[in-house]
């Protein structure tokens, strides 16, 4: 069974940093591209970033470009999101999601439950 | 403001058929495939439809998708109480170079 479990969320002050992790199991991690998608409470889903199967290609939403960095560790079957210079508008539930293949995702076939990040003074 | 446009709400009675629309433009729906997701707050979103009209294994055939031009639709027939959830459409956007989502439609089963 495919499982994606996020961790590392919490409360951080504006301008601060946080690193999210996503532990993957139940599939061959380096066969798939991975992404982060967030949801502001009460609002819709917003794509944040993606990374291809071997980490050689990454993409970011304009709203986080230059502040967030996505990475992956095949040895640990884990996906990461380093978030710097956090803003109040980054407050959201962050979901880890698996792309349907190794490259640019056309859709996300498995998702994690999400982890809450709150940016507040 | 989401890139893809969905009605904020929809409703139906048990057994009824409901449809949810998703409108985009040539850079997203017009040129790429559409997927649909079911989401209850606090849980993992679930893939319902991919490649416009394909169902993953385990998704009941009560759920169906279609696409025409720059619009897509999700239809749910034989509505059940457990279908009450938020539904999102998504597609890759060539201009933004990333996937885009609709604002979501909250489905209520009366």
């Amino acid at each position: 069974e495919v499982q994606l479990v996020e961790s590392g969320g919490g409360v951080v002050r504006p301008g601060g940093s946080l690193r999210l992790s996503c532990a993957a199991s139940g599939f061959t991690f380096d066969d798939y591209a991975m992404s982060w998608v967030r949801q502001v409470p009460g609002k819709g889903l917003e794509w944040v970033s993606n990374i291809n199967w071997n980490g050689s290609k990454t993409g970011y939403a304009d709203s986080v470009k230059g502040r967030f960095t996505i990475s992956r560790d095949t040895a640990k079957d884990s996906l990461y999101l380093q978030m710097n210079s956090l803003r109040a508008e980054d407050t959201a539930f962050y979901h880890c999601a698996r792309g349907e293949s190794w490259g640019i995702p056309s859709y996300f076939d498995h998702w994690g439950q999400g982890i809450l990040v709150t940016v507040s003074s | 403001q989401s890139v893809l446009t969905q009605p904020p709400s929809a409703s139906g009675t048990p057994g009824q058929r409901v449809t949810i629309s998703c409108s985009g433009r040539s850079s997203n729906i017009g040129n790429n495939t559409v997927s649909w997701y079911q989401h209850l707050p606090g849980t993992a979103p679930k893939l319902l439809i991919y490649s416009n009209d394909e169902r993953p294994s385990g998704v009941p055939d009560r759920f169906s998708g279609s696409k025409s031009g720059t619009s897509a639709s999700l239809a749910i027939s034989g509505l059940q109480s457990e279908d009450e959830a938020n539904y999102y459409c998504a597609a890759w956007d060539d201009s933004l170079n990333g996937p885009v989502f609709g604002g979501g439609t909250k489905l209520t089963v009366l």
Side-chain angles (χ1 to χ4, degrees):
Chain A
E1 178 193 4
V2 172
Q3 284 201 317
L4 299 170
V5 180
E6 302 92 344
S7 62
V11 180
V12 61
R13 293 185 185 276
S17 298
L18 212 55
R19 188 196 195 206
L20 302 184
S21 299
C22 171
S25 61
F27 65 101
T28 304
F29 185 63
D30 54 6
D31 278 353
Y32 293 89
M34 299 294 295
S35 296
W36 289 97
V37 178
R38 68 186 181 184
Q39 182 184 27
V40 173
K43 303 276 188 181
L45 298 171
E46 178 192 19
W47 169 72
V48 173
S49 179
N50 60 27
I51 187 167
N52 70 339
W53 69 282
N54 65 356
S56 63
K57 292 185 178 180
T58 59
Y60 299 92
D62 286 344
S63 57
V64 307
K65 202 171 291 183
R67 301 187 298 122
F68 290 11
T69 303
I70 192 172
S71 62
R72 63 192 298 161
D73 185 336
T74 299
K76 295 182 178 180
D77 286 351
S78 291
L79 176 72
Y80 305 102
L81 185 68
Q82 177 66 43
M83 303 185 294
N84 298 332
S85 302
L86 282 161
R87 306 166 180 167
E89 54 264 35
D90 295 318
T91 294
F93 285 94
Y94 285 75
H95 295 272
C96 166
R98 191 182 85 166
E100 85 282 8
S101 68
W102 52 269
I104 293 174
S106 296
Y107 58 90
F108 305 110
D109 59 3
H110 291 277
W111 297 65
Q113 188 168 336
I115 192 82
L116 181 60
V117 172
T118 303
V119 184
S120 174
S121 55
Chain B
Q1 192 82 357
S2 300
V3 176
L4 305 180
T5 301
Q6 296 180 236
S9 63
S11 64
T13 56
Q16 201 172 20
R17 182 178 188 269
V18 296
T19 61
I20 297 171
S21 62
C22 176
S23 176
R25 55 182 64 182
S26 58
S27 62
N28 42 62
I29 294 178
N31 207 33
N32 298 289
T33 59
V34 177
S35 54
W36 289 89
Y37 305 89
Q38 180 188 59
H39 185 219
L40 283 166
T43 69
K46 176 185 176 183
L47 175 67
L48 288 178
I49 297 290
Y50 66 95
S51 297
N52 304 325
D53 57 8
E54 299 289 334
R55 270 188 317 276
S57 60
V59 174
D61 59 6
R62 303 187 295 105
F63 295 90
S64 62
S66 64
K67 173 186 144 177
S68 178
T70 58
S71 294
S73 292
L74 173 72
I76 309 172
S77 60
L79 201 60
Q80 300 179 3
S81 57
E82 57 259 39
D83 297 333
E84 194 162 281
N86 297 307
Y87 292 85
Y88 295 90
C89 59
W92 184 268
D93 191 295
D94 296 329
S95 298
L96 299 176
N97 202 28
V100 290
F101 290 88
T105 298
K106 181 178 174 61
L107 175 64
T108 301
V109 181
L110 303 169

